[in-house]
Amino acid sequence: LVSRSMIEVDQLDHLTGKSCNERFDQVWVPSRTCEEAFLRGAVNQATLKVLPEAIDTRLFNCSVGLPSKPRPFPAFGIPKLDKFLTSSPNNSFTFLSNFKWEERKNWRG
């Protein structure tokens, strides 16, 4: 059994670490920072693996410059995101952030 977990703290509590060790064959985390937090929480290093979050680098690649033509909207099929992007003035700058698009992440800033 595999747990794919992420926590935004610097250390997992030891009770949770113990639970990870007892319940899972592997624990996958998205970053070295999460890995360090899980290790500090006593998760067995042999079961802990870093599996970064996926992002399509063909679509989001700042080294290739601007696209030759604007992408039509809605581009993402996520109604709140598409509405947010299409309501921005033409001279605004849109930041790209790689996270789960939900209200709790405060994407409106």
Side-chain angles (χ1 to χ4, degrees):
L1 187 61
V2 175
S3 168
R4 196 308 192 164
S5 304
M6 184 176 115
I7 191 163
E8 295 167 344
V9 297
D10 62 354
Q11 179 175 328
L12 205 61
D13 67 84
H14 286 275
L15 184 60
T16 303
K18 181 179 183 222
S19 180
C20 287
N21 292 333
E22 293 172 354
R23 296 180 182 200
F24 303 111
D25 300 309
Q26 288 193 353
V27 177
W28 296 352
V29 295
S31 68
R32 296 278 175 225
T33 302
C34 282
E35 177 187 39
E36 291 167 6
F38 277 69
L39 288 171
R40 283 191 287 275
V43 173
N44 183 351
Q45 186 171 13
T47 64
L48 197 54
K49 309 290 181 213
V50 175
L51 181 68
E53 300 214 39
I55 188 165
D56 185 345
T57 56
R58 293 168 297 166
L59 180 60
F60 302 109
N61 184 346
C62 62
S63 66
V64 297
L66 294 173
S68 57
K69 61 181 182 176
R71 197 176 8 195
F73 285 101
F76 297 97
I78 303 170
K80 285 184 178 181
L81 173 59
D82 292 338
K83 182 179 179 188
F84 175 76
L85 292 174
T86 57
S87 66
S88 299
N90 289 337
N91 63 350
S92 67
F93 186 87
T94 302
F95 290 90
L96 169 68
S97 183
N98 181 21
F99 60 87
K100 184 177 177 188
W101 202 264
E102 60 187 10
E103 290 296 327
R104 142 182 123 70
K105 294 292 188 176
N106 193 20
W107 52 272
R108 292 182 189 273

